[in-house]
Amino acid sequence: MEKFASPGKGNGLRLLKAVKPGQLLYRAAPFAYIVSKKRLGGVCECCLRSKERLPRCSQCKIARYCGAHCQKEAWLDHKRECKCIKDIDPNFPPDSVRLVGRIIFKVVTFYPSEVSKMRTQVVGGNIEDMKEGLRHLAKTLQLYLKVEIQDVSQLLPALDIFQIFAKVSVKRDV
């Protein structure tokens, strides 16, 4: 198997030999993920296993974990989000806002030098049709992130955040 770039579509994988049905071809951890609002409380935020009783985060009271191991494993992804959730309580952000927040936290934490290099990329589709809804989500994101990141516009050009929301919205529906 080999990786290849597909202009305008991202990266792809190409098989170099025949495979058996059901054979695992590729495994990778997601860059970022969240438990959807409708599933909160029913699955572990780390391993995504369903359980009847899951202890919750003592700070935000929203995130739930199988136990101390999963909570510790998920802490890097959850700690900044936790502050944001507590800060906007009793409101709760839409799934797309939480996911984009996690993406931004991960980029800022693990790729700080890349933040200054990011530029707008048009990936396809007509973003103009979605701009009003995306503006609303961007404002919601700003309110959600304000306790951790005071000025979101300093992180990424505005259209990049629009594109992240557009991609998150498209991927969610697939």
Side-chain angles (χ1 to χ4, degrees), residues 3 37 97 100 146 158 167:
K3 286 184 179 180
K37 189 174 182 176
V97 168
V100 171
K146 77 177 185 225
K167 289 174 185 178

Side-chain angles (χ1 to χ4, degrees), residues 148-167:
E148 279 291 308
I149 299 171
Q150 282 71 40
D151 188 3
V152 176
S153 68
Q154 295 301 308
L155 294 177
L156 308 166
L159 192 52
D160 280 347
I161 289 181
F162 287 148
Q163 286 188 358
I164 292 169
F165 271 119
K167 289 174 185 178

Side-chain angles (χ1 to χ4, degrees), residues 1-2 13-26:
M1 183 173 338
E2 71 176 358
L13 294 173
R14 185 177 5 245
L15 288 173
L16 301 174
K17 62 180 183 175
V19 295
K20 297 175 186 168
Q23 182 178 344
L24 178 64
L25 301 177
Y26 184 76

Side-chain angles (χ1 to χ4, degrees), residues 31-68:
F31 183 75
Y33 67 92
I34 58 148
V35 173
S36 68
K37 189 174 182 176
K38 67 182 176 187
R39 297 291 313 242
L40 283 173
V43 297
C44 174
E45 292 272 337
C46 181
C47 67
L48 305 176
R49 288 191 179 103
S50 294
K51 283 197 174 177
E52 202 166 299
R53 290 188 176 234
L54 294 166
R56 65 183 178 179
C57 172
S58 61
Q59 300 294 310
C60 70
K61 312 282 192 249
I62 299 293
R64 294 189 180 257
Y65 302 98
C66 291

Side-chain angles (χ1 to χ4, degrees), residues 108-126:
V108 169
T109 302
F110 296 107
Y111 308 99
S113 63
E114 293 300 311
V115 173
S116 61
K117 294 180 192 174
M118 288 185 177
R119 296 290 175 255
T120 301
Q121 282 184 342
V122 176
V123 177
N126 187 354

Side-chain angles (χ1 to χ4, degrees), residues 4-10:
F4 66 95
S6 181
K9 296 180 183 177

